[in-house]
Amino acid sequence: ESAILAGCLNHPTLAARFEDRLERMTFVCPDLGEICDALLSSLPDCLSDGIGSGSLRDAVSSRTGRDPMEAIAAVGQVRANPHLGPDARPDGAATAIEEELTRHAASTGWLAEVREAEQDLAGEADEGVTWRLRQAAEAAHGANLKPLSAGDSSAGSESELSARLQSMLD
């Protein structure tokens, strides 16, 4: 979640490109959800002004009452990823954000499946619960196994992954 927000704060045009997916995200960390809400609220004004990431960061700071990058940059994954910084090339940043969004979708899908399985296990457990959990775990593992940009065509797009996860939930 921090990696996604770092890339978007540092590259407002990419934040606009991924706006629909950001709006659909469910954040595990409420503080990061607040930063995302502020980012999405500030984005139209910052882009219409033609001002870059500094303006977006300032606008988010104003809305949240704190510098969003302080909490985000505390995460080692964010500091270690050269594609998320303000000096990163836009195509590298887009790929990094895309990968993180896909990983997040797989992880949250897996968590939702586990929660549903816990409820099912309160009744009688059957082979279907075990199969669903295995499928969800494989989807989450596949998303985290290697970078999507490395040419893993089996990982598919976010919409394909979402469809597979929804099919498993159904």
Side-chain angles (χ1 to χ4, degrees):
E1 294 174 348
S2 293
I4 293 164
L5 292 175
C8 290
L9 282 166
N10 287 324
H11 302 275
T13 56
L14 294 177
R17 177 173 153 188
F18 294 114
E19 185 175 7
D20 290 343
R21 292 170 70 180
L22 290 169
E23 288 174 346
R24 292 191 314 262
M25 278 184 69
T26 301
F27 283 83
V28 175
C29 180
D31 290 350
L32 296 178
E34 180 185 348
I35 291 170
C36 185
D37 290 343
L39 181 150
L40 291 169
S41 297
S42 304
L43 193 58
D45 291 335
C46 291
L47 291 176
S48 68
D49 292 344
I51 301 173
S53 61
S55 173
L56 181 57
R57 183 174 172 177
D58 290 344
V60 171
S61 292
S62 176
R63 289 180 187 266
T64 61
R66 66 185 186 283
D67 182 1
M69 290 305 288
E70 286 179 14
I72 291 170
V75 177
Q77 174 189 5
V78 174
R79 288 190 315 270
N81 191 329
H83 301 293
L84 298 175
D87 297 328
R89 292 181 318 153
D91 59 332
T95 299
I97 295 168
E98 173 73 34
E99 288 175 359
E100 294 301 333
L101 284 165
T102 300
R103 285 186 181 112
H104 186 272
S107 295
T108 54
W110 178 74
L111 289 173
E113 189 65 40
V114 168
R115 280 188 218 106
E116 187 173 316
E118 286 174 345
Q119 292 173 351
D120 289 349
L121 289 174
E124 287 189 37
D126 63 8
E127 294 285 326
V129 172
T130 306
W131 179 84
R132 287 181 11 230
L133 285 174
R134 184 176 49 247
Q135 293 297 103
E138 287 174 3
H141 178 70
N144 289 309
L145 189 60
K146 62 183 176 181
L148 298 176
S149 60
D152 181 9
S153 61
S154 66
S157 67
E158 182 198 12
S159 60
E160 292 170 359
L161 179 61
S162 293
R164 284 182 32 215
L165 289 171
Q166 186 60 50
S167 173
M168 286 186 277
L169 288 171
D170 293 343

